[in-house]
Amino acid sequence: MKGFAMKRIGEVGWVEKDAPKCGPLDAICRPIALAPCTSDIHTVYEGALGEREDMILGHEAVGEIVEVGELVNDFKVGDKVLVPAITPDWGALESQRGFAMHSGGMLSGWKFSNFKDGVFGELFHVNEADANLALLPEGMDPATGTMLSDMVPTGFHGAEMAEVTYGEDVLVVGIGPVGLMAVAGSALKGAARILAVGTRPNCIEVAKEYGATDIISYKEGPIEEQVMSLTRGKGVDKVILAGGGLETFKTGVKVIKPGGIISNINYLGSGENIEIPRVEWGVGMGHIKIVGGLMPAGRMRTERLANLIMAGRLDPSKLLTHRFEGMESLDKALDLMHRKPVDLIKPVITIKY
Ligand code: NAD
Ligand code: ZN
């Protein structure tokens, strides 16, 4: 079979591979919709995971099942399924502790285009199908469904880790697709003001549609000064980091109230140490928490997030700015993600058979 792969750091292209094998608990799928991710760019062009040779990329997909293992109960050949980017081993000790995304070791629930071939192939393998897949709801556009692989669960996890609750003021740093979903998640959890940091006009427009009340440009002076001025020197209750570099942690500490939570969902692809400003961190006694996390996955969570879309409370299709047809468009779509033209939020590819 063919797949669109990272050939080595800095180089992508089509490769020929053996079809994946199905274990007793697993499923083999063919893609019906695919989306590239900023993380694919970190992987290929920054070598953030280290060297990989001819590894098929991609972890955002809606698929159709072509084979199931003999111990799979709830899915059958022909089912159309939502495929989470993270596919944990649910029996691992980390999973029993409540952190299935780290099953088998730090970040190890992230298997696609990391420890094994990703979803940008004619076929891809899903471990523990009953626990990891969810049915594509009747009536949901598969292109929209791809946003349930990573963008919705990651952005919403930003709001979850920040423990956003009614009436709080939340700062979201970075409004690419992940940050936009953090804005939408914070709004659904009851935030009052949502201050969003970004510069691209269509991201700003969509951020407002998802609930941002104030827009801050990091290109027009320090973020902390703008936040303090907008909040009359009070700062915010919660901060979600979804873009920028290590310096955003400093910004977060400088604008957060005592007892606040800084929640990072950004993939920190470079740099060494994160600095915490001592004084603003309450000289060590400010009850300010800093937390970061890989998205949680699993069938139940994926079904619940899909329910939000079907109930009309969330519309992630606003992220889909560039649409392609056919797997052969993968190189164009990934190249868009690499160049990030100003009108891009998220490209998506649909595949007909
Ligand atoms: P993106 O590049 O589209 O968005 C990041 C945004 O941050 C951009 O709009 C950019 O303009 C903005 N930005 C850049 N510098 C900034 C600064 N100094 N201050 C404020 N904003 C700044 O990326 P995305 O697709 O939205 O993904 C965001 C991050 O989330 C990426 O690093 C991605 O790899 C990561 N990610 C994490 C998970 C997870 O499970 N935690 C999952 C998917 C993606
Ligand atoms: Zn991703």
Side-chain angles (χ1 to χ4, degrees), residues 38-39 42 150 154 173 176-178 218 242 244 265-267 293 295 340:
T38 304
S39 304
H42 292 304
D150 189 352
T154 297
V173 179
V178 168
Y218 61 92
I265 42 178
N266 195 13
Y267 179 158
M295 62 162 262
K340 294 251 162 92

Side-chain angles (χ1 to χ4, degrees), residues 35-40 59-60 85 110 149-151 154 178 295 346:
C37 177
T38 304
S39 304
D40 292 311
H59 52 258
E60 298 183 12
W110 175 12
S149 296
D150 189 352
M151 298 301 98
T154 297
V178 168
M295 62 162 262
K346 198 78 187 173

